[in-house]
Amino acid sequence: MQKHKTYKTCCCIGHRKIKITEELTKEIYDYVEHLIVCENVKRFLFGSKSEFDELCHRIITELKEKYREIKRVGYTCRGESVIKESEREKWEKIYSDIEKRKVRLFGVEEEFEHKNKYVACKGAYIERNQAMIDDSDYCLFYYNEHYVAMQIEKNVLLQIPPKSGTAIAYKYAKRKNKKIKNFYK
């Protein structure tokens, strides 16, 4: 008698700013499709609005046309929200009309609100990322250990040391022995 095979889960975490290329896009597409077809990954978890998250979301949304069974889940914490896929088109039109340009929103099938969503402080995204990692079998990262964030404060450009949320999440996933794929080269 064969055991029932359950699905697996994958989270996407990366730096706010990344260099998006055709090569990177294809590499992520091929790897995610492999996870769906060969590793039975059916749930994909998204957090912040980083460029890496947006790229992964776009690719997984495209793959959803081919693999209808996959689900996109938005993990939200303080100040974040997602749009249910059933309402995405309506809200994109509203925001596009207001901003006088095409607006694309994160569409998901489910939202998971982090337990501290309404009470957490500035570091809430760290706890949210850890929850995503805990709930995942696989972790897709775009992590550059030499990443330097740029921030403008009082009209002065500052370089923030590489103690990023992505670095904290990457090290956490390694400690938890998750299957990690880092797309940074």
Side-chain angles (χ1 to χ4, degrees):
M1 187 172 174
Q2 193 174 9
K3 284 187 173 183
H4 182 272
K5 191 174 182 181
T6 60
Y7 67 84
K8 293 180 183 162
T9 301
C10 176
C11 65
C12 305
I13 300 172
H15 297 302
R16 285 192 193 278
K17 299 289 183 192
I18 65 170
K19 184 176 180 182
I20 298 174
T21 63
E22 286 183 32
E23 178 185 354
L24 175 63
T25 302
K26 182 175 178 0
E27 186 180 357
I28 294 169
Y29 183 100
D30 291 345
Y31 189 78
V32 169
E33 188 167 36
H34 165 79
L35 290 177
I36 294 166
V37 173
C38 301
E39 304 299 333
N40 201 33
V41 174
K42 303 295 183 220
R43 291 171 53 89
F44 292 89
L45 313 181
F46 299 93
S48 69
K49 296 178 177 107
S50 75
E51 287 181 357
F52 181 71
D53 286 14
E54 289 176 10
L55 177 60
C56 288
H57 183 271
R58 188 178 79 224
I59 290 166
I60 291 164
T61 298
E62 184 179 328
L63 283 164
K64 189 166 175 49
E65 294 296 317
K66 191 173 179 181
Y67 304 101
R68 295 284 201 198
E69 70 278 10
I70 65 175
K71 301 279 187 235
R72 298 163 301 165
V73 181
Y75 272 53
T76 57
C77 64
R78 181 179 155 222
E80 296 178 327
S81 62
V82 293
I83 302 294
K84 297 289 182 165
E85 185 59 37
S86 59
E87 296 183 8
R88 184 185 53 78
E89 206 172 293
K90 174 182 96 174
W91 285 104
E92 282 182 346
K93 181 177 179 353
I94 290 169
Y95 283 111
S96 295
D97 289 347
I98 291 169
E99 295 197 20
K100 307 279 190 261
R101 66 176 180 83
K102 178 74 175 159
V103 174
R104 304 241 348 140
L105 301 172
F106 259 28
V108 297
E109 285 68 46
E110 297 175 35
E111 178 179 4
F112 176 86
E113 292 183 335
H114 187 269
K115 66 183 178 180
N116 295 331
K117 179 174 182 170
Y118 299 104
V119 295
C121 62
K122 186 178 178 182
Y125 68 94
I126 294 169
E127 292 178 14
R128 186 270 325 277
N129 285 348
Q130 290 175 348
M132 288 171 46
I133 292 164
D134 289 341
D135 293 347
S136 295
D137 301 288
Y138 295 86
C139 300
L140 305 185
F141 275 94
Y142 190 96
Y143 169 57
N144 170 0
E145 67 181 86
H146 302 292
Y147 180 78
V148 176
M150 302 296 212
Q151 179 178 328
I152 297 177
E153 196 171 291
K154 296 183 181 180
N155 295 326
V156 176
L157 182 64
L158 305 172
Q159 289 188 344
I160 309 300
K163 186 179 178 184
S164 70
T166 301
I168 293 166
Y170 186 82
K171 290 170 186 166
Y172 182 81
K174 285 189 78 91
R175 279 195 317 272
K176 292 292 190 167
N177 294 315
K178 297 296 178 170
K179 295 172 187 146
I180 298 170
K181 172 68 173 167
N182 186 8
F183 289 96
Y184 174 76
K185 292 183 183 191

